[in-house]
């Protein structure tokens, strides 16, 4: 058994996956009477491609990797859940997270009866390799890192991540939901070097397609095949696959929007820093800003009563009096700033 196979839960190693009609016949035929679909054309009477072949080919081209290094999920949240379910034995294994971070890692672990080992990032929201290494015991099967980190916005130090990747024998998942807003290529170029690395990306943020629910996991073919083995057969619907493909074909639109958001982000940071109610705006590589206010909950309530909703993170570790503010359109940002100025 390979090193990666031996990390997989026993019941998953032994699992015989569901074989759909489209698995048993994948060629082209004239008459399909194998899946109990309706024969009448409604545009959507046929099941979607369970392997998302066309979409994977386009993503492979976009990312410079092979289709067998790609898993496509119903949002990257699906990939988070499947990674935990594939590699963590309930009531026995655990994941490690670095707080403050995205909430879904803990939620998925809790749903699956998997324990959570928590370490705190530094005051500047950086990972501390020695603290993580100390916290790792036999039970830790996956380390979740988020870079750029949500809610702090910063890219994590890549050298420190590489250090961790070389020292640790389990899986390291790097969630790069916001990587398109950072001046950094992320970890996709290093997948070949680290077979136990999995990189998560999504169409929900920079691509502007949160409603389609399409997330990606990039990893070694061995890890990807484990995810494919346990996913729901038709996990990504036909419309989402089609519209996602269209977006990839018009990737220039996305790049223009990303550039606009980055420009607005810098403007917003500069203007927020001038406000007397603002204590600090953290540096960011994402499409949001973590801001320390003098009294965050008052500001949150005032903004809400002006029908402007931001995310109150003031109860989160290292985020006292912090609000997380997503960069909006120029008009939205203008209204936000004027509302804050009037407080
Ligand atoms: C928004 C976000 C996601 C996106 O999840 P989807 O299920 O793909 O919409 C993933 N990770 C982080 C850290 C996020 O902030």
């Amino acid at each position: 058994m390979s090193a990666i196979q031996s990390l997989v839960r026993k019941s998953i190693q032994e699992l015989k996956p569901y074989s759909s009609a489209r698995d048993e016949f994948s060629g082209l035929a004239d008459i399909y009477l194998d899946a109990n679909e309706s024969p009448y054309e409604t545009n959507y009477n046929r099941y979607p491609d369970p392997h998302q072949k066309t979409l994977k080919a386009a993503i492979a081209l976009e990312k410079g990797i092979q289709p067998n290094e790609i898993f496509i999920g119903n949002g990257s949240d699906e990939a988070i859940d499947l990674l935990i379910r594939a590699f963590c034995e309930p009531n026995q294994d655990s994941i490690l997270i670095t707080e403050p971070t995205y909430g879904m890692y803990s939620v998925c672990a809790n749903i699956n009866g998997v324990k959570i080992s928590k370490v705190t990032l530094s005051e500047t929201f950086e990972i501390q390799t020695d603290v993580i290494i100390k916290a790792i015991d036999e039970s830790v099967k996956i380390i979740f890192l988020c870079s750029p980190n949500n809610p702090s916005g910063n890219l994590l130090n890549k050298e420190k991540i590489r250090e961790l990747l070389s020292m640790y024998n389990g899986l390291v998942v790097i969630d790069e939901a916001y990587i398109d807003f950072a001046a950094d290529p992320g970890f996709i170029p290093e997948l070949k070097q680290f077979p136990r690395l999995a990189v998560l990306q999504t169409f929900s943020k920079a691509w502007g397609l949160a409603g389609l629910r399409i997330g990606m996991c990039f990893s070694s073919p061995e890890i990807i095949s484990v995810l494919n083995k346990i996913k729901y057969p038709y996990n990504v619907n036909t419309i989402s696959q089609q519209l996602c493909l269209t977006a990839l074909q018009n990737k220039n639109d996305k790049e223009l929007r990303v550039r606009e958001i980055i420009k607005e982000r810098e403007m917003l940071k500069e203007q927020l820093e001038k406000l007397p109610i603002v204590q600090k705006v953290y540096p960011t590589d994402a499409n949001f800003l973590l801001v320390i206010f003098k009294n965050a909950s008052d500001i949150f309530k005032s903004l809400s009563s002006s029908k402007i909703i931001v995310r109150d993170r003031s109860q989160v570790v290292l985020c006292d009096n912090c609000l997380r503010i997503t960069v909006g359109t120029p008009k939205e940002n203008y209204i936000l700033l004027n509302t804050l100025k009037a407080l």
Side-chain angles (χ1 to χ4, degrees):
M1 205 184 330
S2 77
I4 287 172
Q5 272 308 313
S6 65
L7 291 170
V8 177
R9 281 173 59 202
K10 196 154 182 294
S11 57
I12 306 290
Q13 287 176 17
E14 291 165 356
L15 175 77
K16 186 178 179 302
Y18 178 74
S19 180
S20 70
R22 287 300 111 81
D23 284 316
E24 290 177 11
F25 179 85
S26 61
L28 275 182
D30 293 332
I31 299 178
Y32 290 96
L33 305 175
D34 59 346
N36 297 347
E37 297 152 331
S38 169
Y40 298 106
E41 187 59 58
T42 65
N43 287 328
Y44 303 106
N45 54 317
R46 298 297 173 186
Y47 277 105
D49 173 8
H51 308 294
Q52 304 108 11
K53 281 204 191 69
T54 313
L55 184 53
K56 271 186 195 165
I59 293 174
L61 210 61
E62 166 71 18
K63 304 289 177 184
I65 56 177
Q66 297 303 311
N68 66 0
E69 297 172 300
I70 305 172
F71 166 81
I72 304 181
N74 188 339
S76 35
D77 289 346
E78 183 184 2
I80 294 167
D81 181 53
L82 292 185
L83 282 162
I84 292 175
R85 272 202 276 156
F87 293 94
C88 299
E89 208 64 70
N91 307 315
Q92 177 183 319
D93 292 336
S94 56
I95 63 163
L96 184 140
I97 61 169
T98 58
E99 293 189 306
T101 195
Y102 186 48
M104 280 306 286
Y105 318 133
S106 295
V107 171
C108 289
N110 284 331
I111 290 170
N112 290 300
V114 167
K115 286 171 285 177
I116 303 156
S117 182
K118 297 172 180 174
V119 302
T120 309
L121 294 169
S122 74
E123 294 283 309
T124 55
F125 302 111
E126 193 52 76
I127 55 165
Q128 308 175 84
T129 321
D130 49 335
V131 178
I132 294 176
I133 295 293
K134 238 186 259 165
I136 294 171
D137 61 22
E138 278 289 282
S139 78
V140 175
K141 295 295 163 66
I142 310 178
I143 298 174
F144 280 93
L145 303 174
C146 186
S147 180
N149 187 46
N150 182 1
S152 55
N154 58 302
L155 267 173
L156 301 179
N157 182 298
K158 292 180 93 175
E159 220 20 78
K160 290 188 176 169
I161 295 178
R162 289 187 194 108
E163 230 181 287
L164 200 58
L165 280 161
S166 336
M167 292 169 81
Y168 173 60
N169 292 324
L171 258 62
V172 175
V173 177
I174 307 178
D175 187 341
E176 295 186 338
Y178 301 98
I179 196 69
D180 298 85
F181 302 105
D184 188 280
F187 270 90
I188 286 180
E190 299 178 46
L191 283 173
K192 288 268 192 295
Q193 258 164 278
F194 301 111
R196 283 171 286 99
L197 165 66
V199 173
L200 303 180
Q201 292 187 9
T202 179
F203 281 89
S204 297
K205 307 286 157 63
W207 289 91
L209 299 174
L212 295 189
R213 310 304 305 128
I214 297 197
M216 299 159 278
C217 177
F218 308 113
S219 190
S220 55
E222 238 185 319
I223 289 176
I224 295 302
S225 69
V226 174
L227 300 181
N228 284 329
K229 183 176 170 184
I230 65 173
K231 75 180 183 70
Y232 286 160
Y234 304 111
N235 60 328
V236 182
N237 72 69
T238 304
I239 303 181
S240 293
Q241 291 191 44
Q242 285 168 350
L243 295 182
C244 192
L245 195 61
T246 307
L248 281 160
Q249 288 159 351
N250 298 298
K251 108 178 206 200
N252 200 35
D253 296 350
K254 168 239 177 191
E255 276 160 15
L256 289 174
R257 287 194 302 262
V258 167
R259 238 174 288 159
E260 181 77 10
I261 288 170
I262 292 172
K263 203 173 76 193
E264 282 294 303
R265 174 183 81 192
E266 300 310 309
M267 180 283 296
L268 205 51
K269 181 169 195 293
E270 202 181 300
Q271 294 302 313
L272 285 167
E273 280 167 344
K274 290 184 185 162
L275 300 178
I277 53 169
V278 167
Q279 246 166 20
K280 183 184 170 94
V281 183
Y282 283 104
T284 180
D285 302 290
N287 66 335
F288 56 84
L289 295 155
L290 190 70
V291 184
I292 310 181
F293 287 89
K294 294 221 169 101
N295 191 334
S297 60
D298 287 350
I299 303 291
F300 179 81
K301 281 180 208 140
S302 307
L303 286 175
S304 300
S305 61
S306 303
K307 300 199 181 314
I308 300 174
I309 310 303
V310 298
R311 195 80 194 264
D312 186 353
R313 298 282 79 181
S314 57
Q315 301 309 309
V316 170
V317 200
L318 295 180
C319 297
D320 282 354
N321 274 313
C322 283
L323 301 180
R324 193 195 68 193
I325 304 178
T326 308
V327 179
T329 62
K331 187 180 169 196
E332 289 171 336
N333 302 331
Y334 176 82
I335 297 172
L336 169 77
L337 285 168
N338 277 343
T339 309
L340 286 172
K341 270 179 210 160
L343 292 182

